[in-house]
Amino acid sequence: MSESISVEIREVSKRFGDFVAVDSVSLEIKKGEFFSLLGPSGCGKTTLLRMIGGFELPTAGAIRIGEKDVTHLPPYKRPVNMVFQSYALFPHLAVLDNVAFGLRYKKLSSADAVKKARESLALVRLEGFEDRLPAQLSGGQRQRVALARALAMEPEVLLLDEPLGALDQKLRKEVQLELKNLQRSLGLTFVFVTHDQEEALTMSDRIAVMNQGRVEQLDASHHVFEYPKTEFVAQFMGAPNFFTGVVKSLAEGLLSIGARTESEIRVRARSNSWRPDDAVRFVVRPEKLDLRTKSGTSDGEVSIEVTIEDRVYQGVNTVWVVRSDEGERYTIYEQNDRPFQESSRFRVGGRAFMSWNPRDTVVMEKKENGQLVG
Ligand SMILES: Nc1ncnc2c1ncn2[C@@H]1O[C@H](COP(=O)(O)OP(=O)(O)OP(=O)(O)O)[C@@H](O)[C@H]1O
Ligand SMILES: [Mg+2]
């Protein structure tokens, strides 16, 4: 295994009775990487994380951490530490003792354990809180104590299971940035579980999007966002705008798609497995779509006439829900960078044109017999 790989998961599955919670997952996590497992409730994120930590044994497959096969090792023999969603602090112990607790089992002298615990608390900016009990802390502070406790053990890999779930929106955003900075400055490997796509995008170097026990896409975070490979990933990343077309030709890496628009759409193809007449599904992100009063065909724009079904004012954006004449529904985000009144040139029930630049068309990977190809 390469020097720079921290965790290697090889065809790992986990069954609970007949139910397959994790289905033959293979992936590698690099040293010093912020790696996220992202997916909806029940897709197997926690189960996979617990197998890395040793709290659950795989039904099949192997797990290596560093150079070592840890598949059958108990948690305390693995160079990892886990931060659970419910911080699991000892309620009767002061903050400092909570953080020093595990260190005392590491055969550190009491004085060294206290020193290390103080350093860890400083890392999460909790100096001065050493003598408080968990009940005397806010949710965000408790979260940081749990983090300090895990960091104090100096694990090679830190596993975090939705650690920010209990925090309010504002605090959550603050702690996201703090955690990311801490991870980067210490050069630690983080495996982070979340079902929040924005959180994953904010923090991660790479993201594995999971669906029903499988990894559906693993890519750099901006790549998962901008180039989803499947409809599931596109939907999960907030782009529920699907179109159907047919391949006209593939030449010089450019795919020509005939859709129900006047012109063909030419897009860069990510695979050369396409053939003429293949059915093709593609997606356009809501913020890349525009609503127009006229068919905007300048600069090769694609334009489809639609009926406006709904309008939701969200402060930063106005969300338009429109329907094509085929009955497909699309979501358009209009940034509210003009006075609010101006968007009243459109009304619910009226007709308008939905337009986009063809370069913003993202083609879903080709499927044959339900399997992705190319
Ligand atoms: N001990 C268990 N026995 C039986 N089924 C289990 C067990 N643990 C998990 N499961 C099932 O495995 C599936 C995956 O669970 P898991 O906790 O990994 O999901 P998750 O992606 O972490 O979801 P969430 O976002 O809700 O935390 C779920 O359908 C769950 O019901
Ligand atoms: Mg979970």
Side-chain angles (χ1 to χ4, degrees), residues 76 96 157 178 248:
Y76 67 91
L96 186 68
V157 181
E178 284 174 14
K248 296 289 188 190

Side-chain angles (χ1 to χ4, degrees), residues 40-47 50 85 161-162 193-195:
S41 184
C43 72
K45 307 179 296 291
T46 295
T47 306
R50 286 171 62 83
Q85 177 159 14
D161 192 358
E162 310 232 13
V193 162
T194 180
H195 62 259

